[in-house]
Amino acid sequence: MKISIIGSGNIGGNLGKHWAKVGHEVMFSSRHPEELKSMADEVGAKTGNVEETAAFGEVILLAIPYGKVPDLAQQIGSLDNKILIDAANPYPHRDGDVAQKVIDDESQTATGYVASQFPGAKTVKAFNSVFYQVFAEQAFQEGDDRIAVQVCSDDEQAKETVKQLIEDIGFAPQDLGDLSKGVLFEPNAPLYNKNLKIGEAKKLLSQIQ
Ligand SMILES: NC(=O)c1ccc[n+]([C@@H]2O[C@H](COP(=O)([O-])OP(=O)(O)OC[C@H]3O[C@@H](n4cnc5c(N)ncnc54)[C@H](OP(=O)(O)O)[C@@H]3O)[C@@H](O)[C@H]2O)c1
């Protein structure tokens, strides 16, 4: 698949490299794309500015600071019919009012807000709940050794595509249901940053449901 990485830092850089290694076509974005060239060359990926990268992929991984999402949406415009994977987490100390408002608004989930900024996209929440070093160091495992990656969406087909992308790089998708279930793996929620193997993650879920 053609995958755009918007925000090629700890999360985007590691996931994009893994996907390129297993044969996906990857473009990394930066506000300074020339600085990503050696990382991209290592795995045969492309680099671009934010607009070029948003236009490139069928799937967009959004891995930037949550507070920058509204400005980014203004900058790149619509992502109509693309799959948008939201990996961002709202932290008021880093993301200011954008994060605080969504935390205070009980009618809104973190990824629900991101989806509202890209109304034509098929939004999937994934990769928010696993520490980046785990993505870097524990990819390409098999069976019960795989670390669980929580995922949810209102679009079943888009979610299936993202679950396959999780499996492609040796992690285990843990499907929690529709987008409202994102509250289970937002910051401070029971499944947030536990970095569990899939069997342990399922057990924990059964204990909290
Ligand atoms: N770190 C983790 O373990 C972890 C785990 C799960 C989820 N997350 C979430 O994932 C997101 C990314 O985290 P990270 O640790 O990967 O952050 P990071 O290493 O700081 O990378 C974020 C990238 O976003 C880009 N960026 C920053 N502001 C931008 C803007 N206004 N427009 C476009 N691009 C912008 C930066 O690229 P340039 O400077 O090159 O443009 C930077 O490389 C955050 O929301 C975080 O909460 C992090």
Side-chain angles (χ1 to χ4, degrees), residues 38-89:
S38 67
M39 175 174 79
D41 284 350
E42 202 185 298
V43 292
K46 302 178 195 323
T47 58
N49 63 31
V50 170
E51 289 86 349
E52 289 163 343
T53 306
F56 172 79
E58 317 153 67
V59 175
I60 315 281
L61 175 72
L62 189 58
I64 66 169
Y66 190 92
K68 306 293 184 195
V69 170
D71 288 348
L72 182 88
Q74 289 287 321
Q75 188 182 348
I76 62 179
S78 103
L79 293 177
D80 287 359
N81 299 316
K82 294 183 187 249
I83 296 175
L84 175 66
I85 309 174
D86 171 36
N89 284 316

mmCIF file of all heavy atoms in Angstrom, residues 38-89:
data_model
loop_
_atom_site.group_PDB
_atom_site.id
_atom_site.type_symbol
_atom_site.label_atom_id
_atom_site.label_comp_id
_atom_site.label_asym_id
_atom_site.label_seq_id
_atom_site.Cartn_x
_atom_site.Cartn_y
_atom_site.Cartn_z
ATOM 1 N N SER A 38 18.398 10.477 4.912
ATOM 2 C CA SER A 38 19.179 9.261 5.180
ATOM 3 C C SER A 38 18.295 8.170 5.782
ATOM 4 O O SER A 38 18.438 6.987 5.433
ATOM 5 C CB SER A 38 20.394 9.556 6.057
ATOM 6 O OG SER A 38 19.972 9.944 7.325
ATOM 7 N N MET A 39 17.337 8.553 6.639
ATOM 8 C CA MET A 39 16.418 7.545 7.190
ATOM 9 C C MET A 39 15.598 6.917 6.062
ATOM 10 O O MET A 39 15.419 5.698 6.008
ATOM 11 C CB MET A 39 15.462 8.179 8.214
ATOM 12 C CG MET A 39 14.419 7.209 8.735
ATOM 13 S SD MET A 39 13.398 7.874 10.074
ATOM 14 C CE MET A 39 12.242 8.887 9.157
ATOM 15 N N ALA A 40 15.107 7.755 5.155
ATOM 16 C CA ALA A 40 14.271 7.248 4.064
ATOM 17 C C ALA A 40 15.094 6.377 3.111
ATOM 18 O O ALA A 40 14.633 5.303 2.690
ATOM 19 C CB ALA A 40 13.636 8.417 3.321
ATOM 20 N N ASP A 41 16.307 6.818 2.798
ATOM 21 C CA ASP A 41 17.150 6.058 1.861
ATOM 22 C C ASP A 41 17.449 4.654 2.397
ATOM 23 O O ASP A 41 17.516 3.685 1.640
ATOM 24 C CB ASP A 41 18.480 6.787 1.607
ATOM 25 C CG ASP A 41 18.286 7.973 0.671
ATOM 26 O OD1 ASP A 41 17.179 8.108 0.092
ATOM 27 O OD2 ASP A 41 19.234 8.787 0.534
ATOM 28 N N GLU A 42 17.617 4.576 3.717
ATOM 29 C CA GLU A 42 17.930 3.288 4.371
ATOM 30 C C GLU A 42 16.900 2.202 4.025
ATOM 31 O O GLU A 42 17.225 1.031 3.915
ATOM 32 C CB GLU A 42 17.856 3.565 5.882
ATOM 33 C CG GLU A 42 18.588 2.653 6.811
ATOM 34 C CD GLU A 42 18.254 3.065 8.253
ATOM 35 O OE1 GLU A 42 18.568 4.215 8.641
ATOM 36 O OE2 GLU A 42 17.654 2.258 8.948
ATOM 37 N N VAL A 43 15.641 2.621 3.840
ATOM 38 C CA VAL A 43 14.577 1.624 3.603
ATOM 39 C C VAL A 43 13.887 1.815 2.245
ATOM 40 O O VAL A 43 12.843 1.212 1.986
ATOM 41 C CB VAL A 43 13.511 1.676 4.732
ATOM 42 C CG1 VAL A 43 14.091 1.200 6.052
ATOM 43 C CG2 VAL A 43 12.905 3.079 4.867
ATOM 44 N N GLY A 44 14.467 2.665 1.396
ATOM 45 C CA GLY A 44 13.871 2.871 0.069
ATOM 46 C C GLY A 44 12.568 3.649 0.098
ATOM 47 O O GLY A 44 11.697 3.436 -0.756
ATOM 48 N N ALA A 45 12.419 4.553 1.064
ATOM 49 C CA ALA A 45 11.196 5.368 1.149
ATOM 50 C C ALA A 45 11.431 6.739 0.514
ATOM 51 O O ALA A 45 12.562 7.110 0.200
ATOM 52 C CB ALA A 45 10.791 5.523 2.615
ATOM 53 N N LYS A 46 10.332 7.472 0.337
ATOM 54 C CA LYS A 46 10.419 8.826 -0.206
ATOM 55 C C LYS A 46 10.303 9.825 0.948
ATOM 56 O O LYS A 46 9.861 9.465 2.045
ATOM 57 C CB LYS A 46 9.252 9.088 -1.171
ATOM 58 C CG LYS A 46 9.142 8.139 -2.342
ATOM 59 C CD LYS A 46 7.910 8.519 -3.162
ATOM 60 C CE LYS A 46 7.453 7.484 -4.151
ATOM 61 N NZ LYS A 46 8.387 6.693 -4.865
ATOM 62 N N THR A 47 10.632 11.075 0.657
ATOM 63 C CA THR A 47 10.381 12.142 1.630
ATOM 64 C C THR A 47 9.627 13.270 0.929
ATOM 65 O O THR A 47 9.692 13.407 -0.293
ATOM 66 C CB THR A 47 11.694 12.729 2.189
ATOM 67 O OG1 THR A 47 12.471 13.235 1.098
ATOM 68 C CG2 THR A 47 12.491 11.708 2.959
ATOM 69 N N GLY A 48 8.921 14.059 1.721
ATOM 70 C CA GLY A 48 8.213 15.189 1.133
ATOM 71 C C GLY A 48 7.821 16.183 2.198
ATOM 72 O O GLY A 48 7.975 15.909 3.402
ATOM 73 N N ASN A 49 7.314 17.321 1.732
ATOM 74 C CA ASN A 49 6.746 18.236 2.718
ATOM 75 C C ASN A 49 5.370 17.713 3.123
ATOM 76 O O ASN A 49 4.902 16.675 2.616
ATOM 77 C CB ASN A 49 6.718 19.681 2.188
ATOM 78 C CG ASN A 49 5.826 19.834 0.971
ATOM 79 O OD1 ASN A 49 4.831 19.116 0.826
ATOM 80 N ND2 ASN A 49 6.173 20.753 0.086
ATOM 81 N N VAL A 50 4.722 18.402 4.034
ATOM 82 C CA VAL A 50 3.471 17.880 4.591
ATOM 83 C C VAL A 50 2.396 17.734 3.504
ATOM 84 O O VAL A 50 1.693 16.718 3.448
ATOM 85 C CB VAL A 50 3.014 18.802 5.747
ATOM 86 C CG1 VAL A 50 1.611 18.461 6.190
ATOM 87 C CG2 VAL A 50 3.984 18.697 6.921
ATOM 88 N N GLU A 51 2.288 18.717 2.620
ATOM 89 C CA GLU A 51 1.245 18.666 1.582
ATOM 90 C C GLU A 51 1.507 17.520 0.592
ATOM 91 O O GLU A 51 0.590 16.779 0.233
ATOM 92 C CB GLU A 51 1.171 19.991 0.805
ATOM 93 C CG GLU A 51 0.609 21.154 1.593
ATOM 94 C CD GLU A 51 1.653 21.893 2.420
ATOM 95 O OE1 GLU A 51 2.792 21.406 2.570
ATOM 96 O OE2 GLU A 51 1.321 22.979 2.926
ATOM 97 N N GLU A 52 2.756 17.389 0.153
ATOM 98 C CA GLU A 52 3.084 16.301 -0.792
ATOM 99 C C GLU A 52 2.802 14.943 -0.160
ATOM 100 O O GLU A 52 2.288 14.032 -0.812
ATOM 101 C CB GLU A 52 4.582 16.348 -1.147
ATOM 102 C CG GLU A 52 4.983 17.508 -2.034
ATOM 103 C CD GLU A 52 6.488 17.768 -2.041
ATOM 104 O OE1 GLU A 52 7.223 17.285 -1.132
ATOM 105 O OE2 GLU A 52 6.922 18.489 -2.944
ATOM 106 N N THR A 53 3.143 14.833 1.105
ATOM 107 C CA THR A 53 2.978 13.542 1.779
ATOM 108 C C THR A 53 1.500 13.228 1.971
ATOM 109 O O THR A 53 1.066 12.089 1.768
ATOM 110 C CB THR A 53 3.738 13.560 3.122
ATOM 111 O OG1 THR A 53 5.085 13.933 2.860
ATOM 112 C CG2 THR A 53 3.709 12.195 3.789
ATOM 113 N N ALA A 54 0.704 14.228 2.315
ATOM 114 C CA ALA A 54 -0.732 13.993 2.480
ATOM 115 C C ALA A 54 -1.360 13.537 1.167
ATOM 116 O O ALA A 54 -2.271 12.700 1.164
ATOM 117 C CB ALA A 54 -1.413 15.264 2.979
ATOM 118 N N ALA A 55 -0.865 14.057 0.048
ATOM 119 C CA ALA A 55 -1.438 13.697 -1.259
ATOM 120 C C ALA A 55 -1.008 12.289 -1.696
ATOM 121 O O ALA A 55 -1.685 11.635 -2.481
ATOM 122 C CB ALA A 55 -1.008 14.714 -2.315
ATOM 123 N N PHE A 56 0.120 11.785 -1.177
ATOM 124 C CA PHE A 56 0.742 10.546 -1.672
ATOM 125 C C PHE A 56 -0.052 9.270 -1.338
ATOM 126 O O PHE A 56 -0.321 8.453 -2.210
ATOM 127 C CB PHE A 56 2.166 10.452 -1.091
ATOM 128 C CG PHE A 56 2.869 9.158 -1.354
ATOM 129 C CD1 PHE A 56 3.460 8.908 -2.587
ATOM 130 C CD2 PHE A 56 2.953 8.185 -0.364
ATOM 131 C CE1 PHE A 56 4.111 7.708 -2.833
ATOM 132 C CE2 PHE A 56 3.602 6.979 -0.599
ATOM 133 C CZ PHE A 56 4.182 6.744 -1.836
ATOM 134 N N GLY A 57 -0.416 9.083 -0.089
ATOM 135 C CA GLY A 57 -0.838 7.755 0.364
ATOM 136 C C GLY A 57 -2.328 7.474 0.275
ATOM 137 O O GLY A 57 -3.148 8.388 0.259
ATOM 138 N N GLU A 58 -2.640 6.162 0.277
ATOM 139 C CA GLU A 58 -4.034 5.734 0.481
ATOM 140 C C GLU A 58 -4.302 5.706 1.983
ATOM 141 O O GLU A 58 -5.434 5.794 2.434
ATOM 142 C CB GLU A 58 -4.254 4.311 -0.039
ATOM 143 C CG GLU A 58 -3.615 4.020 -1.379
ATOM 144 C CD GLU A 58 -3.288 2.539 -1.537
ATOM 145 O OE1 GLU A 58 -4.240 1.745 -1.613
ATOM 146 O OE2 GLU A 58 -2.099 2.175 -1.607
ATOM 147 N N VAL A 59 -3.233 5.514 2.728
ATOM 148 C CA VAL A 59 -3.293 5.471 4.191
ATOM 149 C C VAL A 59 -2.368 6.554 4.724
ATOM 150 O O VAL A 59 -1.234 6.684 4.259
ATOM 151 C CB VAL A 59 -2.824 4.094 4.719
ATOM 152 C CG1 VAL A 59 -2.767 4.079 6.236
ATOM 153 C CG2 VAL A 59 -3.734 2.986 4.220
ATOM 154 N N ILE A 60 -2.882 7.328 5.686
ATOM 155 C CA ILE A 60 -2.068 8.405 6.280
ATOM 156 C C ILE A 60 -1.897 8.094 7.768
ATOM 157 O O ILE A 60 -2.903 7.971 8.486
ATOM 158 C CB ILE A 60 -2.808 9.768 6.223
ATOM 159 C CG1 ILE A 60 -3.465 10.027 4.862
ATOM 160 C CG2 ILE A 60 -1.895 10.907 6.680
ATOM 161 C CD1 ILE A 60 -2.584 10.480 3.778
ATOM 162 N N LEU A 61 -0.675 7.980 8.231
ATOM 163 C CA LEU A 61 -0.437 7.873 9.669
ATOM 164 C C LEU A 61 -0.163 9.272 10.202
ATOM 165 O O LEU A 61 0.797 9.931 9.774
ATOM 166 C CB LEU A 61 0.779 6.982 9.967
ATOM 167 C CG LEU A 61 1.157 6.943 11.461
ATOM 168 C CD1 LEU A 61 0.148 6.131 12.275
ATOM 169 C CD2 LEU A 61 2.567 6.378 11.660
ATOM 170 N N LEU A 62 -1.013 9.698 11.140
ATOM 171 C CA LEU A 62 -0.854 11.025 11.735
ATOM 172 C C LEU A 62 -0.162 10.855 13.079
ATOM 173 O O LEU A 62 -0.733 10.292 14.019
ATOM 174 C CB LEU A 62 -2.244 11.644 11.914
ATOM 175 C CG LEU A 62 -2.325 13.106 12.314
ATOM 176 C CD1 LEU A 62 -1.616 13.991 11.301
ATOM 177 C CD2 LEU A 62 -3.783 13.532 12.447
ATOM 178 N N ALA A 63 1.085 11.295 13.156
ATOM 179 C CA ALA A 63 1.895 11.091 14.363
ATOM 180 C C ALA A 63 2.623 12.386 14.709
ATOM 181 O O ALA A 63 3.855 12.445 14.734
ATOM 182 C CB ALA A 63 2.872 9.933 14.157
ATOM 183 N N ILE A 64 1.817 13.426 14.926
ATOM 184 C CA ILE A 64 2.360 14.740 15.306
ATOM 185 C C ILE A 64 1.807 15.096 16.689
ATOM 186 O O ILE A 64 0.875 14.444 17.171
ATOM 187 C CB ILE A 64 1.989 15.839 14.278
ATOM 188 C CG1 ILE A 64 0.471 16.101 14.265
ATOM 189 C CG2 ILE A 64 2.472 15.461 12.881
ATOM 190 C CD1 ILE A 64 0.071 17.339 13.466
ATOM 191 N N PRO A 65 2.322 16.137 17.329
ATOM 192 C CA PRO A 65 1.727 16.561 18.604
ATOM 193 C C PRO A 65 0.239 16.912 18.395
ATOM 194 O O PRO A 65 -0.113 17.596 17.426
ATOM 195 C CB PRO A 65 2.550 17.801 18.973
ATOM 196 C CG PRO A 65 3.861 17.608 18.258
ATOM 197 C CD PRO A 65 3.511 16.928 16.966
ATOM 198 N N TYR A 66 -0.606 16.410 19.315
ATOM 199 C CA TYR A 66 -2.064 16.554 19.174
ATOM 200 C C TYR A 66 -2.480 18.018 18.988
ATOM 201 O O TYR A 66 -3.377 18.316 18.190
ATOM 202 C CB TYR A 66 -2.706 15.969 20.442
ATOM 203 C CG TYR A 66 -4.196 15.797 20.408
ATOM 204 C CD1 TYR A 66 -4.759 14.591 19.983
ATOM 205 C CD2 TYR A 66 -5.051 16.801 20.829
ATOM 206 C CE1 TYR A 66 -6.140 14.410 19.973
ATOM 207 C CE2 TYR A 66 -6.431 16.628 20.820
ATOM 208 C CZ TYR A 66 -6.966 15.431 20.391
ATOM 209 O OH TYR A 66 -8.334 15.253 20.383
ATOM 210 N N GLY A 67 -1.827 18.908 19.686
ATOM 211 C CA GLY A 67 -2.196 20.324 19.628
ATOM 212 C C GLY A 67 -1.999 20.952 18.255
ATOM 213 O O GLY A 67 -2.534 22.029 17.964
ATOM 214 N N LYS A 68 -1.226 20.282 17.396
ATOM 215 C CA LYS A 68 -0.959 20.814 16.050
ATOM 216 C C LYS A 68 -1.973 20.321 15.017
ATOM 217 O O LYS A 68 -1.917 20.715 13.845
ATOM 218 C CB LYS A 68 0.449 20.399 15.580
ATOM 219 C CG LYS A 68 1.559 20.762 16.530
ATOM 220 C CD LYS A 68 1.741 22.255 16.624
ATOM 221 C CE LYS A 68 2.928 22.610 17.518
ATOM 222 N NZ LYS A 68 2.945 24.004 17.909
ATOM 223 N N VAL A 69 -2.885 19.437 15.438
ATOM 224 C CA VAL A 69 -3.804 18.824 14.468
ATOM 225 C C VAL A 69 -4.713 19.850 13.777
ATOM 226 O O VAL A 69 -4.842 19.817 12.545
ATOM 227 C CB VAL A 69 -4.618 17.680 15.132
ATOM 228 C CG1 VAL A 69 -5.740 17.198 14.213
ATOM 229 C CG2 VAL A 69 -3.688 16.519 15.477
ATOM 230 N N PRO A 70 -5.355 20.791 14.509
ATOM 231 C CA PRO A 70 -6.232 21.737 13.790
ATOM 232 C C PRO A 70 -5.485 22.560 12.734
ATOM 233 O O PRO A 70 -5.990 22.740 11.623
ATOM 234 C CB PRO A 70 -6.770 22.646 14.907
ATOM 235 C CG PRO A 70 -6.533 21.914 16.170
ATOM 236 C CD PRO A 70 -5.379 20.995 15.957
ATOM 237 N N ASP A 71 -4.272 23.010 13.043
ATOM 238 C CA ASP A 71 -3.488 23.773 12.057
ATOM 239 C C ASP A 71 -3.132 22.903 10.856
ATOM 240 O O ASP A 71 -3.158 23.351 9.713
ATOM 241 C CB ASP A 71 -2.182 24.304 12.673
ATOM 242 C CG ASP A 71 -2.447 25.447 13.638
ATOM 243 O OD1 ASP A 71 -3.580 25.962 13.653
ATOM 244 O OD2 ASP A 71 -1.514 25.802 14.388
ATOM 245 N N LEU A 72 -2.790 21.641 11.141
ATOM 246 C CA LEU A 72 -2.443 20.731 10.043
ATOM 247 C C LEU A 72 -3.648 20.523 9.122
ATOM 248 O O LEU A 72 -3.518 20.505 7.895
ATOM 249 C CB LEU A 72 -1.978 19.381 10.598
ATOM 250 C CG LEU A 72 -1.555 18.416 9.496
ATOM 251 C CD1 LEU A 72 -0.082 18.597 9.152
ATOM 252 C CD2 LEU A 72 -1.833 16.982 9.858
ATOM 253 N N ALA A 73 -4.830 20.373 9.735
ATOM 254 C CA ALA A 73 -6.040 20.163 8.925
ATOM 255 C C ALA A 73 -6.272 21.365 8.011
ATOM 256 O O ALA A 73 -6.614 21.209 6.833
ATOM 257 C CB ALA A 73 -7.242 19.920 9.839
ATOM 258 N N GLN A 74 -6.043 22.572 8.533
ATOM 259 C CA GLN A 74 -6.160 23.781 7.699
ATOM 260 C C GLN A 74 -5.149 23.754 6.564
ATOM 261 O O GLN A 74 -5.441 24.108 5.432
ATOM 262 C CB GLN A 74 -5.885 25.034 8.550
ATOM 263 C CG GLN A 74 -6.972 25.367 9.554
ATOM 264 C CD GLN A 74 -8.202 25.912 8.852
ATOM 265 O OE1 GLN A 74 -8.088 26.663 7.905
ATOM 266 N NE2 GLN A 74 -9.382 25.497 9.298
ATOM 267 N N GLN A 75 -3.946 23.312 6.914
ATOM 268 C CA GLN A 75 -2.835 23.345 5.958
ATOM 269 C C GLN A 75 -3.044 22.360 4.804
ATOM 270 O O GLN A 75 -2.803 22.697 3.646
ATOM 271 C CB GLN A 75 -1.537 22.996 6.704
ATOM 272 C CG GLN A 75 -0.277 23.162 5.912
ATOM 273 C CD GLN A 75 0.955 22.737 6.727
ATOM 274 O OE1 GLN A 75 0.878 22.536 7.943
ATOM 275 N NE2 GLN A 75 2.066 22.598 6.056
ATOM 276 N N ILE A 76 -3.485 21.133 5.124
ATOM 277 C CA ILE A 76 -3.536 20.126 4.048
ATOM 278 C C ILE A 76 -4.920 19.976 3.443
ATOM 279 O O ILE A 76 -5.069 19.350 2.400
ATOM 280 C CB ILE A 76 -3.004 18.737 4.494
ATOM 281 C CG1 ILE A 76 -3.840 18.151 5.631
ATOM 282 C CG2 ILE A 76 -1.560 18.808 4.873
ATOM 283 C CD1 ILE A 76 -3.353 16.776 6.070
ATOM 284 N N GLY A 77 -5.944 20.535 4.077
ATOM 285 C CA GLY A 77 -7.288 20.436 3.503
ATOM 286 C C GLY A 77 -7.838 19.029 3.628
ATOM 287 O O GLY A 77 -7.497 18.304 4.553
ATOM 288 N N SER A 78 -8.627 18.602 2.665
ATOM 289 C CA SER A 78 -9.378 17.358 2.838
ATOM 290 C C SER A 78 -8.506 16.118 2.633
ATOM 291 O O SER A 78 -7.539 16.133 1.863
ATOM 292 C CB SER A 78 -10.552 17.336 1.874
ATOM 293 O OG SER A 78 -10.272 16.498 0.787
ATOM 294 N N LEU A 79 -8.883 15.038 3.331
ATOM 295 C CA LEU A 79 -8.270 13.726 3.108
ATOM 296 C C LEU A 79 -9.381 12.772 2.667
ATOM 297 O O LEU A 79 -9.455 11.625 3.110
ATOM 298 C CB LEU A 79 -7.618 13.204 4.395
ATOM 299 C CG LEU A 79 -6.399 13.968 4.903
ATOM 300 C CD1 LEU A 79 -5.902 13.378 6.225
ATOM 301 C CD2 LEU A 79 -5.258 13.948 3.866
ATOM 302 N N ASP A 80 -10.254 13.260 1.785
ATOM 303 C CA ASP A 80 -11.454 12.511 1.429
ATOM 304 C C ASP A 80 -11.126 11.107 0.937
ATOM 305 O O ASP A 80 -10.260 10.923 0.080
ATOM 306 C CB ASP A 80 -12.245 13.247 0.342
ATOM 307 C CG ASP A 80 -12.941 14.477 0.920
ATOM 308 O OD1 ASP A 80 -12.816 14.719 2.126
ATOM 309 O OD2 ASP A 80 -13.602 15.187 0.142
ATOM 310 N N ASN A 81 -11.847 10.130 1.523
ATOM 311 C CA ASN A 81 -11.762 8.705 1.153
ATOM 312 C C ASN A 81 -10.440 8.037 1.509
ATOM 313 O O ASN A 81 -10.243 6.873 1.212
ATOM 314 C CB ASN A 81 -12.056 8.497 -0.341
ATOM 315 C CG ASN A 81 -13.450 8.966 -0.666
ATOM 316 O OD1 ASN A 81 -14.377 8.678 0.091
ATOM 317 N ND2 ASN A 81 -13.602 9.724 -1.736
ATOM 318 N N LYS A 82 -9.527 8.759 2.139
ATOM 319 C CA LYS A 82 -8.291 8.113 2.581
ATOM 320 C C LYS A 82 -8.508 7.542 3.987
ATOM 321 O O LYS A 82 -9.373 8.011 4.726
ATOM 322 C CB LYS A 82 -7.141 9.120 2.609
ATOM 323 C CG LYS A 82 -6.758 9.633 1.214
ATOM 324 C CD LYS A 82 -5.565 10.577 1.308
ATOM 325 C CE LYS A 82 -5.272 11.234 -0.028
ATOM 326 N NZ LYS A 82 -4.021 10.775 -0.645
ATOM 327 N N ILE A 83 -7.689 6.559 4.318
ATOM 328 C CA ILE A 83 -7.705 6.028 5.687
ATOM 329 C C ILE A 83 -6.745 6.873 6.514
ATOM 330 O O ILE A 83 -5.571 7.017 6.159
ATOM 331 C CB ILE A 83 -7.281 4.549 5.698
ATOM 332 C CG1 ILE A 83 -8.300 3.707 4.914
ATOM 333 C CG2 ILE A 83 -7.138 4.047 7.136
ATOM 334 C CD1 ILE A 83 -7.912 2.235 4.771
ATOM 335 N N LEU A 84 -7.263 7.447 7.575
ATOM 336 C CA LEU A 84 -6.444 8.288 8.457
ATOM 337 C C LEU A 84 -6.243 7.539 9.769
ATOM 338 O O LEU A 84 -7.217 7.254 10.484
ATOM 339 C CB LEU A 84 -7.167 9.611 8.731
ATOM 340 C CG LEU A 84 -6.479 10.529 9.740
ATOM 341 C CD1 LEU A 84 -5.145 11.025 9.218
ATOM 342 C CD2 LEU A 84 -7.384 11.720 10.083
ATOM 343 N N ILE A 85 -5.004 7.190 10.065
ATOM 344 C CA ILE A 85 -4.712 6.539 11.353
ATOM 345 C C ILE A 85 -4.266 7.625 12.320
ATOM 346 O O ILE A 85 -3.237 8.278 12.105
ATOM 347 C CB ILE A 85 -3.581 5.496 11.232
ATOM 348 C CG1 ILE A 85 -3.840 4.503 10.097
ATOM 349 C CG2 ILE A 85 -3.416 4.762 12.564
ATOM 350 C CD1 ILE A 85 -2.661 3.548 9.848
ATOM 351 N N ASP A 86 -5.026 7.798 13.382
ATOM 352 C CA ASP A 86 -4.660 8.799 14.391
ATOM 353 C C ASP A 86 -3.879 8.120 15.505
ATOM 354 O O ASP A 86 -4.430 7.321 16.266
ATOM 355 C CB ASP A 86 -5.930 9.455 14.955
ATOM 356 C CG ASP A 86 -5.601 10.333 16.152
ATOM 357 O OD1 ASP A 86 -4.527 10.969 16.134
ATOM 358 O OD2 ASP A 86 -6.398 10.362 17.117
ATOM 359 N N ALA A 87 -2.594 8.464 15.599
ATOM 360 C CA ALA A 87 -1.735 7.918 16.662
ATOM 361 C C ALA A 87 -1.497 8.936 17.770
ATOM 362 O O ALA A 87 -0.792 8.659 18.738
ATOM 363 C CB ALA A 87 -0.390 7.484 16.072
ATOM 364 N N ALA A 88 -2.076 10.131 17.622
ATOM 365 C CA ALA A 88 -1.737 11.228 18.542
ATOM 366 C C ALA A 88 -2.462 11.094 19.880
ATOM 367 O O ALA A 88 -3.543 10.526 19.959
ATOM 368 C CB ALA A 88 -2.106 12.561 17.892
ATOM 369 N N ASN A 89 -1.859 11.640 20.914
ATOM 370 C CA ASN A 89 -2.463 11.664 22.251
ATOM 371 C C ASN A 89 -2.507 13.092 22.771
ATOM 372 O O ASN A 89 -1.529 13.833 22.618
ATOM 373 C CB ASN A 89 -1.633 10.820 23.234
ATOM 374 C CG ASN A 89 -1.847 9.341 23.026
ATOM 375 O OD1 ASN A 89 -2.967 8.882 22.855
ATOM 376 N ND2 ASN A 89 -0.760 8.584 23.032
#
